[in-house]
Amino acid sequence: MKMIADLHIHSRFSMATSKEGTPENLDFWARKKGISLIGTGDFTHPVWREELKERLVSEGNGLYRLRDEYVKEESRKFPGEGTRFVVSGEISSIYKKNGKTRKVHNVILLPSLEAADAMAQRLEKIGNIHSDGRPILGLDSHDLLEMMLDVCPEGILIPAHIWTPHFSVLGAKSGFDSVEECFEELTPYVHTLETGLSSDPAMNWRISKLDRYQLVSNSDAHSPSKLGREANLLDIDCSYEGLYRAIQTGEGLEGTVEFFPEEGKYHFDGHRKCGVSLSPVEAERLGGICPVCGKKLTMGVDHRVEQLADRAEGFAKEDGKKYESLVPLPEVISACMGYSTASKKVQGYFEKMLQTLGTEFDILRNVPSEDIKSCAGERIAEGIENVRTGNVKRIPGYDGEYGKIELFDEN
């Protein structure tokens, strides 16, 4: 079964998230976008876990779906069998190792809410899992993996957004120089890495040490409308076992849907307060120091990849999975119309296109340009075509500031 999956998301119980993060709203937005499988997010949070038990029903194969009585009426107009959920959560580990403070985020997938209960019970002995859906624990990533394997050997641990400067396994400020340094003798149990919004598979192919890992992409959405910013293209048996094989071995993992990495918040080096954005070469020339305030720059993902790379830029991995770089449809419409994504005009066009042409992913990836032109006009059709072909101008993000993708050359 071909499907699109977004496995790393958050509920309303994580910090800085939308109050709209309920099971029924996640189901609604997943259907709207054309996503068949999503993570539950935040399985460690006791109130969220109880809500999931109340509102989801097991399909008997390690996946869940929303109970019929909770499906929103407007969700039923979208085709398909509805959204499947897999139990997921993110743990923020902050700890000392080899004389350095480490800050690493890891995503865990589990085959049941019962396994989530057992895992949460163990984690509660380490620290507070009640105040934040993504708990911050003084737990070594190695020990977290060891605990998961002990509680649920069928669980999957995925190091999250592995290049983000502050909270990731290979980030410039927070991590290690290799996955092995982080997970030690348990490294063979780590099969998959999440690329994050500021990198794409081609950037990761430049590091030969990462060749053995599957590369996945997820939205890390903090509101239901952000689902699918990045996602995975699967062709699997619709079950946890099918997902496990795809994520851990690559069997059925056909590829990923990506941001243009320049649009991510940490692609270039820079200082947001000073409005300074620099390429790796420019930052090196300045010795990593901000030319405005004289403080150290936040090293971006592009620079960090360059530090660890042992292959030239542009290297193509022979057996690398395909990937597509897309821009969310409301952003495309906004760029074409000159109004903000939240404006009534943009949202009106967005809804009209969904009603006429299908789901957001279908429109961005598959619907013929002529059909888009008939529904939404020539400029939006041209904007989507430019995204599909990569014919866009990229202004890189830096130090927590999103980059910009310009769809038209107005000069």
Side-chain angles (χ1 to χ4, degrees), residues 242-278:
L243 177 65
Y244 185 98
R245 279 199 304 272
I247 297 300
Q248 301 287 67
T249 73
E251 181 190 335
L253 175 60
E254 294 195 324
T256 53
V257 174
E258 307 278 335
F259 253 33
F260 287 98
E262 293 85 356
E263 194 177 359
K265 291 198 290 187
Y266 294 101
H267 190 72
F268 261 12
D269 294 27
H271 250 181
R272 183 168 41 166
K273 283 182 181 175
C274 299
V276 172
S277 172
L278 299 167

Side-chain angles (χ1 to χ4, degrees), residues 36-108:
S36 303
L37 174 62
I38 59 172
T40 60
D42 302 351
F43 77 74
T44 53
H45 196 279
V47 181
W48 178 240
R49 211 163 56 252
E50 288 309 308
E51 194 169 312
L52 293 173
K53 288 175 189 174
E54 176 197 337
R55 300 189 182 195
L56 301 184
V57 60
S58 170
E59 295 205 312
N61 57 10
L63 303 180
Y64 294 77
R65 60 178 168 79
L66 196 61
R67 291 184 188 276
D68 197 57
E69 59 265 35
Y70 290 106
V71 175
K72 293 163 78 88
E73 209 47 54
E74 56 263 51
S75 298
R76 300 182 192 277
K77 66 186 178 189
F78 295 100
E81 300 174 9
T83 313
R84 266 57 174 219
F85 290 79
V86 61
V87 177
S88 72
E90 183 182 23
I91 312 293
S92 175
S93 288
I94 301 180
Y95 56 101
K96 285 267 189 177
K97 188 163 190 162
N98 300 331
K100 292 182 183 177
T101 298
R102 313 292 184 168
K103 299 177 182 179
V104 182
H105 286 185
N106 294 292
V107 172
I108 290 176

Side-chain angles (χ1 to χ4, degrees), residues 139-290:
L139 180 64
D140 191 308
S141 295
H142 166 280
D143 299 344
L144 174 64
L145 175 56
E146 187 174 49
M147 182 188 295
M148 184 202 76
L149 292 169
D150 182 42
V151 170
C152 181
E154 305 83 26
I156 302 169
L157 183 142
I158 305 171
H161 40 71
I162 60 169
W163 297 104
T164 302
H166 303 285
F167 296 98
S168 66
V169 68
L170 297 177
K173 287 192 171 187
S174 63
F176 304 85
D177 286 339
S178 70
V179 178
E180 290 78 8
E181 195 185 344
C182 179
F183 291 99
E184 302 174 81
E185 84 285 357
L186 294 181
T187 302
Y189 293 96
V190 179
H191 299 277
T192 313
L193 305 172
E194 183 184 72
T195 59
L197 300 183
S198 295
S199 90
D200 62 16
M203 292 170 68
N204 289 266
W205 294 340
R206 295 187 60 200
I207 295 95
S208 60
K209 281 183 178 179
L210 303 186
D211 282 355
R212 80 168 190 83
Y213 299 99
Q214 304 303 320
L215 298 178
V216 297
S217 296
N218 301 293
S219 67
D220 195 0
H222 284 217
S223 67
S225 65
K226 298 295 186 187
L227 287 176
R229 292 190 297 183
E230 294 201 328
N232 305 286
L233 303 171
L234 306 178
D235 187 0
I236 62 170
D237 170 52
C238 190
S239 65
Y240 183 85
E241 188 181 339
L243 177 65
Y244 185 98
R245 279 199 304 272
I247 297 300
Q248 301 287 67
T249 73
E251 181 190 335
L253 175 60
E254 294 195 324
T256 53
V257 174
E258 307 278 335
F259 253 33
F260 287 98
E262 293 85 356
E263 194 177 359
K265 291 198 290 187
Y266 294 101
H267 190 72
F268 261 12
D269 294 27
H271 250 181
R272 183 168 41 166
K273 283 182 181 175
C274 299
V276 172
S277 172
L278 299 167
S279 71
V281 172
E282 292 167 328
E284 287 281 357
R285 198 179 295 133
L286 292 169
I289 300 300
C290 176

Side-chain angles (χ1 to χ4, degrees), residues 10-11 14-18 134 219-224 226 229:
H10 291 282
S11 74
S14 280
M15 286 182 69
T17 55
S18 164
R134 183 187 62 198
S219 67
D220 195 0
H222 284 217
S223 67
K226 298 295 186 187
R229 292 190 297 183

